[in-house]
Amino acid sequence: MTNKVVIDALKKIKTYCAADLLDKLDYAIDIIEKLEEDGISEPLSTDFTALSKLSKNDAH
């Protein structure tokens, strides 16, 4: 499953979402859209440990 499929599904779910949960749903959509923009189209299959190591090296 790709980010685009998930984003479309979450946007459709917004129609039925309780009002107090809309901000949380929007946050999840924003995260997935950001991942997509950054070239991570399948985050569950992505090895983020390399990114973690890069961040630590940049800090020094």
Side-chain angles (χ1 to χ4, degrees):
M1 184 176 321
T2 65
N3 290 337
K4 291 180 182 183
V5 171
V6 174
I7 292 166
D8 289 343
L10 290 174
K11 287 181 178 180
K12 290 176 184 174
I13 289 171
K14 284 179 67 170
T15 303
Y16 305 102
C17 186
D20 63 328
L21 298 176
L22 284 173
D23 288 342
K24 294 160 186 74
L25 186 57
D26 284 335
Y27 183 76
I29 292 169
D30 289 344
I31 290 170
I32 297 169
E33 287 176 337
K34 175 71 172 135
L35 290 170
E36 183 68 23
E37 290 169 11
D38 289 347
I40 301 170
S41 60
E42 296 187 36
L44 295 179
S45 301
T46 301
D47 179 11
F48 289 100
T49 57
L51 294 174
S52 174
K53 290 175 186 174
L54 285 174
S55 296
K56 289 178 183 176
N57 289 336
D58 290 341
H60 296 295

